[in-house]
Each structure stands twice: as C-alpha cells, then as structure tokens.
Amino acid sequence: MAYVTVDAEPEPLAIDVAKTALVLIDMQRDFLEAGGFGETLGNDVSLLGKAVRPCQAVLALARKKGMLVIHTREGHRPDLSDAPKAKVERGDPRLRIGAAGPMGRILIRGEAGHDIVASLYPIAGETVIDKPGKGAFYATDLGAILHHRGIESLIVCGVTTEVCVHTTVREANDRGYRCIVPGDCCGSYFPEFHEVGLRMIKAQGGIFGWVSDSTRVMRALE
Ligand code: C5J
C-alpha cells in the first residue's frame, strides 16, 4: 500500500495510490474546441480550455505512476436508439443531438466532434467509457471496471463542472468512492456554476467529496 495525503477541502485526504483512478470526463472536441458544437451555441470555449493544461499534467503523472486512467465521452449511437426522447427533443431542432454540427453529428459516437481532444488523447491500455448520460456510471461498465481493479478513490477532472463532473461525482459518492476534484482541471461555460459546483462538493464536511487543485494533487502523488 502506498498511502499519500492530498491537501484538499474540507480536509486533507489519505488515499492509496494503487487503489486510485484518474477519471477524465468528456474532454471532447465538440465541448472544448473553437469551431465545435459548444462554440456554435455561443459559449466561450476558452473557459473549458483552461482545464486542459492542468489535466495534461495530472494525466502525465498518473501515467508515470501506473494508475488506472479512465476517459469518458458523452454520446449516442448513430440511430439514437440509446437516446431518450426527453433528452433529444429539447432546444432548437437544428442544434439537437444527432443534428449536423460543425464537427459531424452532434453527440454521436464516431463523429469527429465526439472524440477526445488530441492533447489528452487516450493511449493504449487506457479505458474509454462511452456514456449516454451525464453520469459516467449510468448505463456503462465503469462500476464493474473499478470494482475489479479494487479502486477505492477517484480523482475526477473534466467538463463541465456542474453537469457531467458533478453527476459522476455524486454517482461515485453514493457507490462509496472517495472523490477528489482538482478544481483547475475542470471547467464550465458558466464561471459561477463552476465555482458553486466546487463549493457544493466540499460543503457540509465534504458531502460529495473533496476539492483540491492540480498542484496539490501532483505534490501528493509525487
Ligand atoms: C457535459 C454537458 N459533459 N454539459 N455535458 O457536461 O452537456
């Protein structure tokens, strides 16, 4: 066992590195890149782009330490058979899931925009979870993979803070995982949601988990 203590709020957390996985949530081109779907909607994608460098640093260290690395992608089958109507039938029909976007069909597996940004691209041996929902546990085999590897703690990074990161942290928390969220490794199109999202995680004695940052997480892992 290799226990390290991560400086975090609401309090430092001791984790066994061998039983900790790094989870990178939905660092997909359509959410992050200029010219992607997120920008088409009028969002400032640089707010998400800020998380890329800290994520790269944590990912590089996790790889060096031989940690389990999980990447997720939000998206659906091309025939939309796994997409609930309630999710598809909202908003402007030209911008709905499955519609033609600037980088292929929006949130459809196999399309260019659905893929992970080059700077954080999975390498051989890393797990990629294709998820139809916001949470990474819903309708995926993530829970089984973590269980079989004996994982107890997660470092959760990605976008967006208040949507897919938050939903995944809540799901993981209910399943008994200790979640550490390095705030600078996450991003939102809405800065206030990012801030409040992080505060919600660590409130009430860490009701959903622990909040830290890439520097403190890396200092502990080193
Ligand atoms: C994610 C979204 N990944 N905001 N999706 O947060 O729709």
Side-chain angles (χ1 to χ4, degrees), residues 25-28 31 74 87 107 131 133-134 159-165 187 189:
I25 300 287
D26 301 357
M27 297 300 277
Q28 293 165 256
F31 293 131
E74 181 180 355
K87 185 177 181 187
L107 284 190
K131 62 186 185 64
K134 304 303 181 195
V159 299
T160 60
T161 314
E162 77 281 12
V163 184
C164 291
V165 172
Y189 298 127

Side-chain angles (χ1 to χ4, degrees), residues 24-48:
L24 292 158
I25 300 287
D26 301 357
M27 297 300 277
Q28 293 165 256
R29 298 184 63 195
D30 253 341
F31 293 131
L32 284 143
E33 286 189 4
F37 174 57
E39 194 179 63
T40 303
L41 291 177
N43 295 304
D44 175 3
V45 291
S46 72
L47 292 167
L48 270 54

